[in-house]
């Protein structure tokens, strides 16, 4: 039952803000028909109670009650995703019932005979026609299995209860208690815990309590005096590997202990900055200012573009555009949610740089870990094709691809759609990677295989938290950045190119400083 969304946009927006995102416009229309029927019914009952028999007020009370029953039946039926003929039956039934009600207003009270009046028959026929359209007609037909699965999936995606939250937290506990997890695994799980608990009612105190309970270190600090009489420390794993050391000696023992305390205090919340090569490392005495949330000198400008979509841009007080949305949104509420995600993610997001490719290890919406080989232009060259229940299983799969690529075999084939694809198989015929997309001819697929053979062995593996900034060089030789979510979506981009990479990095720092606290303004 199609409706014109331009006629009831305000009702649709109220429904989205107070109830949820509707699957169709009919869902909103049916809801308001039901609400109208409920209000009219209450009014009719009240009018009957306070009126005298055979009075005009009693008649209007009966009219309100009869209309309310018809609307209460039609409202839930309109919400259903019915075929066109069933929707037409519902409309016809509602019209017949309303006709019976109008007939009653003419006959009441002089010519009204409740025992044998044809008015009741007309009204009942209308209700029966609505029942046939909404209940019996769908029982006589079947929808395809794909449609049923789609509806079931959409329903499952919208239902989240407390048991889902408890199961998610249980999985987090199990993952953090995994004895095989190394320091990288632990850091990734902490990021995941922060992101998931931020979507619940847990606050920072709850998060700190969880981390104290769940984290068990596999390392220890060793404090000692060297042969030169200076105090030093080192951090060593239980397997004997040296993880870190103080790098310098201290003249007094308590100064070395202060150094250990500083590492314990700062390491967990420290930001990550990936540097391309050792030549680009900052000087040891070079200081830097940690990125902190300060009073923003920018504002999110929201506006509607020529296509009628809602967009945002972050404008500095000096007039410069720091970044903008990479896509438009169909409603203002979706735009507001996008800005809230930017505020939450830009501060802790790490830097990723592809030189020219890198393996991304990320967690999908189903809670499984996956990998993909990504070029700096954004193209996905290969993906694992399967998910892993644990992070380090996906990491080991990447290591096998990088170290043992020659031991696998590339196979190029034509799919059912007539496109050429490739897959990488092991000696046991297990598929360990695939192209992820089809190519129009075989030469393109062979060129894609050559790119993977060239780039995969030397590609770095980048761990993607909830979000990460990617710095890349575009086809025009300018440096740009984009903020990518771990599900692959681009949340924001620089909107402009920079003449060198350091300027692009400065642009990211400006967004990190000004984005979390920026206000929203109409443009």
């Amino acid at each position: 039952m199609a409706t014109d969304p331009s006629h009831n946009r305000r009702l649709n927006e109220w429904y989205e803000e107070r109830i949820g995102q509707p699957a169709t416009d009919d869902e909103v229309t049916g809801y308001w028909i039901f609400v109208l029927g409920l209000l009219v019914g209450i009014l009719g009952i009240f009018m009957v109670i306070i009126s005298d028999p055979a009075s005009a007020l009693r008649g209007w009370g009966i009219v309100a009650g009869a209309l309310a029953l018809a609307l209460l039946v039609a409202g839930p039926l309109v919400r259903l995703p019915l075929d066109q003929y069933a929707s037409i039956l519902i409309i016809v039934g509602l019209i017949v019932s309303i006709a019976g009600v109008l007939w009653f207003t003419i006959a009441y009270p002089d010519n009204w005979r409740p025992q044998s009046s044809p008015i009741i028959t007309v009204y009942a026929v209308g209700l029966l026609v609505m029942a046939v359209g909404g209940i019996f007609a769908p029982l006589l037909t079947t929808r395809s299995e794909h449609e049923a699965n789609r509806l079931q999936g959409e329903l499952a995606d919208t239902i989240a209860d407390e048991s889902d939250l408890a199961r998610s937290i249980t999985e987090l506990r199990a993952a953090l208690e995994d004895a095989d997890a190394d320091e990288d695994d632990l850091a990734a799980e902490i990021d995941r815990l922060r992101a998931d608990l931020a979507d619940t009612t847990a606050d920072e105190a709850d998060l700190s309590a969880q981390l104290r309970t769940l984290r068990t270190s596999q390392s220890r600090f060793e404090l000692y005096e060297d042969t030169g009489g200076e105090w030093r420390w080192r951090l060593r794993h239980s397997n004997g590997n040296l993880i870190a050391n103080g790098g310098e000696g201290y003249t007094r023992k308590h100064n070395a202990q202060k150094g250990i305390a500083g590492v314990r205090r700062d390491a967990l919340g420290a930001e990550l900055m990936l540097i391309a090569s050792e030549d680009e490392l900052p000087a040891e005495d070079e200081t830097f200012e940690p990125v902190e949330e300060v009073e923003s000198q920018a504002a999110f400008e929201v506006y509607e573009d020529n296509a009628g979509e809602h967009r945002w841009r972050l404008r500095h007080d000096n007039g410069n555009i720091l970044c903008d949305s990479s896509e438009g949104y169909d409603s203002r509420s979706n735009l507001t949610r996008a800005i809230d995600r930017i505020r939450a993610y830009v501060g802790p997001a790490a830097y990723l740089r592809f030189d020219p490719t890198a393996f991304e290890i990320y967690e999908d919406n189903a809670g499984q870990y996956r990998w993909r080989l990504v070029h700096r232009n954004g193209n996905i060259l290969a993906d694992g094709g399967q998910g892993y229940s644990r992070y380090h299983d996906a990491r080991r799969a990447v290591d096998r691809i990088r170290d043992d690529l020659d031991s696998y075999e590339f196979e190029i084939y034509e799919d059912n759609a007539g496109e050429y694809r490739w897959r990488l198989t092991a000696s046991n015929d297990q598929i360990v990677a695939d192209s992820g997309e089809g190519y129009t001819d075989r030469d393109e697929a062979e060129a894609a295989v050559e790119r993977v053979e060239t780039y995969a062995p030397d590609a770095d593996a980048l761990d993607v938290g909830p979000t990460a900034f990617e710095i890349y060089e575009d086809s025009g030789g300018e440096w740009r950045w984009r903020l990518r979510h771990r599900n692959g979506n681009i949340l924001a981009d620089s909107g402009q190119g920079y003449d060198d990479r350091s300027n692009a990095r400065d642009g990211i720092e400006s967004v990190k400083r000004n984005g979390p606290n920026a206000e929203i303004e109409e443009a």
Side-chain angles (χ1 to χ4, degrees):
M1 185 182 299
T3 57
D4 185 357
S6 64
H7 292 166
N8 57 358
R9 176 174 294 181
R10 178 167 297 180
L11 295 180
N12 284 3
E13 292 181 352
W14 189 96
Y15 187 94
E16 292 177 5
E17 294 174 356
R18 303 303 179 98
I19 298 178
Q21 184 69 32
T24 63
D25 288 337
D26 293 336
E27 181 179 332
V28 180
T29 303
Y31 171 79
W32 289 113
I33 291 175
F34 178 82
V35 171
L36 178 61
L38 187 62
L39 296 177
V40 172
I42 294 174
L43 177 61
I45 293 173
F46 178 75
M47 294 170 66
V48 170
I49 292 175
I50 66 174
S51 64
D52 297 326
S55 64
L57 185 59
R58 174 66 59 89
W60 287 112
I62 296 173
V63 168
L67 284 175
L69 177 59
L71 294 174
L72 289 174
V73 171
L77 296 180
V78 169
R79 288 170 59 90
L80 299 177
L82 300 175
D83 291 333
Q84 184 177 7
Y85 75 92
S87 299
I88 293 175
L89 285 177
I90 295 173
I91 296 175
V92 171
L94 181 60
I95 292 174
V96 172
S97 296
I98 293 175
V101 174
L102 294 177
W103 190 0
F104 170 81
T105 61
I106 298 173
Y108 187 86
D110 297 332
N111 298 321
W112 171 243
R113 299 184 304 277
Q115 293 78 11
S116 59
S117 176
I119 297 176
I120 296 179
T121 302
V122 173
Y123 181 77
V125 168
L127 295 179
L128 179 60
V129 172
M130 284 192 288
V132 171
I135 301 175
F136 297 107
L139 296 178
L140 301 178
T141 60
T142 59
R143 288 182 176 270
S144 65
E145 182 180 354
H146 174 75
E147 180 69 6
N149 290 338
R150 185 187 67 82
L151 293 175
Q152 185 177 7
E154 290 178 354
L155 183 61
D157 289 339
T158 59
I159 300 176
D161 54 16
E162 190 172 353
S163 62
D164 292 333
L165 177 61
R167 183 167 57 253
S168 176
I169 294 178
T170 301
E171 292 173 355
L172 289 173
R173 289 179 180 271
L176 287 178
E177 292 173 352
D178 189 350
D180 295 332
D182 56 15
E183 190 64 20
D184 290 339
D185 295 336
L186 182 59
E189 292 301 331
I190 292 174
D191 289 340
R192 177 185 172 188
L193 182 62
R194 288 181 182 274
D196 290 343
L197 290 184
D199 294 334
T200 67
T201 57
D203 56 14
E204 189 65 26
D206 296 330
L207 179 60
S208 299
Q210 289 285 343
L211 292 177
R212 286 194 298 269
T213 303
L214 300 177
R215 181 170 182 173
T216 55
S217 177
Q218 298 291 319
S219 305
R220 73 180 182 189
F221 285 98
E222 296 176 346
L223 180 63
Y224 63 98
E225 188 175 7
D226 64 14
T227 56
E230 292 186 319
W231 289 93
R232 297 179 179 270
W233 63 263
R234 62 185 182 185
L235 179 62
R236 200 157 59 91
H237 195 272
S238 59
N239 60 13
N241 291 340
L242 183 63
I243 299 174
N245 60 59
E248 62 175 331
Y250 298 87
T251 57
R252 305 177 66 179
K253 181 178 180 180
H254 73 272
N255 289 336
Q257 291 173 327
K258 287 182 179 179
I260 294 175
V263 172
R264 284 174 168 164
R265 181 182 62 251
D266 296 336
L268 185 59
E271 291 190 336
L272 171 65
M273 179 177 176
L274 299 182
I275 299 176
S277 64
E278 185 176 1
D279 296 335
E280 298 184 19
L281 282 174
E284 293 184 1
D285 57 350
E286 179 181 326
T287 62
F288 68 94
E289 291 294 331
V291 176
E292 298 179 351
E293 288 189 11
V294 297
E295 183 178 355
S296 178
Q297 295 180 318
F300 286 99
E301 290 184 347
V302 296
Y303 62 98
E304 191 171 345
D305 62 16
N306 295 332
E309 292 187 316
H310 298 273
R311 294 180 176 269
W312 62 262
R313 59 193 172 209
L314 184 62
R315 184 189 293 274
H316 197 275
D317 292 344
N318 60 15
N320 292 336
I321 302 296
L322 303 182
C323 63
D324 56 41
S325 58
S326 59
E327 61 177 339
Y329 301 90
D330 56 1
S331 67
R332 178 62 181 268
S333 59
N334 288 338
L335 176 69
T336 302
R337 283 193 289 269
I339 294 177
D340 290 339
R341 287 195 298 269
I342 296 298
R343 286 169 167 166
Y345 287 143
V346 293
Y351 296 64
L352 300 183
R353 183 172 183 266
F354 297 84
D355 192 21
T357 61
F359 286 96
E360 284 184 351
I361 301 174
Y362 65 99
E363 186 181 6
D364 63 17
N365 294 331
Q368 291 190 313
Y369 293 95
R370 296 179 177 271
W371 65 264
R372 58 194 172 206
L373 180 62
V374 185
H375 194 273
R376 65 186 174 195
N377 61 14
N379 292 336
I380 297 177
L381 304 183
D383 62 57
Q386 64 170 319
Y388 300 89
S389 59
R390 298 187 301 178
Y391 164 83
H392 57 272
D393 289 338
R395 184 59 181 260
R396 281 199 292 265
V398 170
D399 292 338
R400 287 194 297 268
I401 295 295
R402 291 191 298 185
D403 299 336
D404 302 323
L405 185 61
D406 293 338
S407 64
Y408 298 114
E409 182 178 355
F410 284 96
E411 176 185 353
I412 299 178
Y413 64 98
E414 188 175 1
D415 62 16
N416 295 332
E419 292 185 320
Y420 289 91
R421 297 175 178 267
W422 64 260
R423 55 193 170 206
L424 187 63
T425 58
S427 57
N428 59 0
D429 293 332
Q430 180 182 359
I431 299 175
V432 296
D434 58 53
S435 58
E437 63 175 338
Y439 301 92
T440 56
D441 57 58
R442 189 179 184 89
D443 292 339
E444 291 183 357
E446 291 177 349
V449 170
E450 293 178 359
R451 287 194 294 270
V452 173
E453 290 177 329
T454 301
Y455 292 133
D458 299 324
D460 290 332
L462 306 174
D463 301 332
V464 179
T467 56
F469 284 100
E470 297 175 353
I471 301 177
Y472 65 100
E473 190 175 4
D474 65 16
S475 58
E478 291 186 316
W479 292 92
R480 296 176 178 270
W481 63 260
R482 58 194 168 208
L483 180 63
R484 186 192 293 272
H485 194 272
R486 63 186 172 195
N487 61 15
N489 292 337
I490 304 297
L491 303 183
D493 59 55
S494 58
Q496 62 174 316
Y498 299 90
D499 54 359
D500 59 56
R501 186 163 58 87
S502 62
N503 289 339
R505 190 170 59 203
D506 292 341
I508 293 176
E509 295 296 338
S510 181
V511 172
K512 280 175 167 283
R513 284 192 300 270
N514 295 287
N517 297 322
E519 299 294 334
I520 298 179
E521 297 179 353
E522 296 288 342

